[in-house]
Amino acid sequence: MESSRTAWGWGLASISATGDTLDVWYPKLALGEMPEPSARPNHEFGNLIHDDADARGVRRIPVFTVSRLDDPIEDAADAYARLHLLSMRLAQPNTLNLDGIFAALTNVVWTNYGPFAVQDYGQRKMDVIQAASRNGFGTVADVNVLSIDKFPRMVDYVVPTGVRIGNADRIRLGAYLSEGTTVMHEGFVNYNAGTLGTSMVEGRISQGVVVGDGSDIGGGASIMGTLSGGGKHRVSIGEHSLLGANAGIGISLGNHCAVEAGLYVTAGTKITIYDKARIAAGEPLDIVKGAELSGKDHILFIRNSMSGAIEARSRSKGIELNAQLHTNA
């Protein structure tokens, strides 16, 4: 993304009976100024295109999209292009203008037969099953609803190399997963969020959050995002840091940090700065808000089991992940 702020490519759009764009799949996207119309490559969708509606009431048509990445999102095709760029690793989280994405996207019934419009789903489900029966498929699989949402699963559109994903339902299109990332079954990664290197994800990575190389998000852990009134600070986790099981943060962690299991640290949390020299001298310890420690390196956040106070202690070395668990060839 350093040399250009424009992306372009052919997508295959699903259009509902009312003209809404349900989704757009981009097999390839390119960065840089778009070519002249005479120099555009062919889309190569072939017989995947159908101008007449299928049993879902959906038409599939090719669309050529040019996305001006610093401008607000123009429409659903533009929104899907930017989500693909993130999951294709062509743009890192927080580098694209995503203003207007919720208004551009339509709420969709995501199923094993593809996207359906919400409004006429009941009738269209019956039409799909009847059509499959008429085509002689024998025992016909029922329509299985995977979710009702504006964002689909990433893996139905982009499958990045060098990653393991325990539960594909929990990775939205627009997630950025670097090579060496392992997302366990209860891990979740939202759009415009993800990992910047080898990482273990067993907890929740919210929109806008990035996790550095060699870090571990423990089971049940949560990282505060900026949606739904979560504030404006974009939380990040540095390299070789650990967010313990069932822990949470609303501040950023620097490199070589750790938050003990079950501890939630926010910007307003009162934290005691543990200092052996001051304790030995009988001097009082400093107490600061969590925001003052946001993004700083080599800190262990821990709750004192005797006093119950939350403490920040010096930590000389970060964690090292098991390399065998992250060789995802």
Side-chain angles (χ1 to χ4, degrees), residues 265-283:
V265 181
T266 68
T269 300
K270 298 295 181 64
I271 302 173
T272 300
I273 307 299
Y274 187 84
D275 187 324
K276 287 184 178 180
R278 298 192 72 165
I279 292 174
E283 299 175 0

Side-chain angles (χ1 to χ4, degrees), residues 20-21 45 51 58 79 119 126 143 148 155 190:
D20 292 324
T21 298
F45 291 128
D51 292 323
V58 172
Q119 294 81 357
M126 186 181 303
V143 179
I148 305 172
V155 297
N190 209 339

